[in-house]
Amino acid sequence: MIQRENPARFTEIVGSVAETSPIEVDAVVWAADADFRRWSATPIEERLGLLTRAAEAIEDALGDLSVLLARETGKVLGDCRGEIGFAVRFLRWVVAQAPISYAESEVDDDRGRLIRQHKPYGVVAAITPWNAPVILSMLKIAPALAAGNAVVVKPSPLAPLTLDRIVALIGGPLRIVHGGPATGAALAGHDLVRKVAFTGGAAGGRAVAALAGERLTPTVLELGGNDPAVFLDDAPFDDAAMDRLVMATFATGGQVCMAAKRLYVPSRQLADFVDAYLAAAKRVLVTGDPLADGVTMGPVISAAARKAAEQLRTGDCRDLGRFEADPDLGYFVRPALVVAPGPGDPLVVAEQFAPVVPVLGYDDEDAVLAAANAGDLGLGASVWSSDEERAVAFARRFEAGFAFVNTHNRTGMSLRAPFGGVKRSGWGREYAEEGLAEYVQTCVIHAPAGFRPGAPAPENPAAYPV
Ligand code: NAD
């Protein structure tokens, strides 16, 4: 049994789910494979009907689901409503887009007849992290089901409850298993799983990719980030920009893949920047009970996450915002800005996934670009400037899957924009048409003109390329 405590009040048990053993995972995947046979033969209109009804059911339950999500993750209530609302919008967008993206196409001309089909894979395994369990699962579930796959989803044991309810609301060929790495490994390494879609950290990603690789199972991997936010020397430190920047780091306690995790500012402006940042944090950053009005940051997810975060509070460490939390009741950490740590400091070179952020001065634009692009990760990045063309020219040189101008993340990701990391932040894409394409295989039927019934024999059959 997996019991989930409220990270804001760790004596409160929010709920529990039965853990799925590796043997039970085997039975679930066999059942999902049988689901797939039926579901893939179901007309797409019926498949999309299931998703339309799911969107309605989730929207109707949005209030209760948001409170449950806040209680199991420690995310503030407004963000939980935003996440589930976005999942509903995404479902509806998939319903509208799937008939276009998955449509069969055919050409019939003097070279013959060519039919292009988009076929489902079979059983898709979706393995997701705790920090946005609903949307990160829905990005996999919705296109996979629309395409005719069956899905087995495994959420993190740190946030299993809301997704468990949502899976029951969706129904259809969607099953859920619960547990940690052993359950995830049994799923990702199952012979009947034909596609693995994983979101999480590097260690889990490596393990899942190795299991999938042994079986030549294709994967989508969405991994961690260490996003730089670079202020060019003409970027104003106005209140609105600084407020955006602070929340781009501290939403969900800094535990967001695409949070602004390293801040770079011209050295001669560093002191002014720090003043403006501290003032912005006073305006917008309130640490406390995620269900309370006005609170913008809750606790971190676990005792281990709190210990790791505390260890990052070194050097010239400035406390941020208003702290209205009781660390004896929940896993609360004082959010902090660390001014000018060394470039090799762990807070700079690795993903912190915690409410502690470094700011570093720079003197040369090429050097700051090199620093921003240093390391294995390439998820997001941002550049800030009063000149949009200058910012866009700089953004073109980022090694990142998604670069923002004058903001970072928290934009309500456009459904038109595909999302995914480069370098070791992952491969594959989610959202947008690219995200739908991950769940189909393009198969071709070809009747070459020279071999069609009744056609004159080609003069030189060997001339046809293979
Ligand atoms: P995690 O890697 O610990 O867990 C993710 C999922 O993988 C969970 O369901 C977990 O139980 C499972 N898992 C872990 N090890 C496994 C193994 N060896 N075999 C099979 N399954 C395994 O990640 P987390 O702590 O839940 O989330 C934090 C990480 O996720 C951060 O690095 C963050 O940047 C990243 N993340 C990335 C994105 C993105 O879209 N790129 C989004 C959110 C979070």
Side-chain angles (χ1 to χ4, degrees), residues 5 17 26 52 62 89 93 142 194 411 414:
E5 79 269 26
V17 288
D26 180 55
T52 301
L62 195 134
R89 286 204 302 287
W93 178 79
R194 295 284 184 239
T411 55
S414 163

Side-chain angles (χ1 to χ4, degrees), residues 225-226 249-250 253-255 260-262 300 303-320 333-342 344-359:
N226 191 16
T249 290
F250 292 100
Q255 304 160 112
K261 291 177 179 151
R262 299 175 283 156
V300 295
R306 173 155 80 176
K307 191 168 169 210
E310 296 291 359
Q311 285 169 353
L312 296 169
R313 292 174 47 93
T314 56
D316 184 0
C317 180
R318 316 278 181 96
D319 287 337
L320 294 171
V333 176
R334 268 174 207 278
L337 176 73
V338 174
V339 181
D345 195 285
L347 185 57
V348 178
V349 296
E351 177 184 38
Q352 64 271 52
F353 219 60
V356 186
V357 68
V359 58

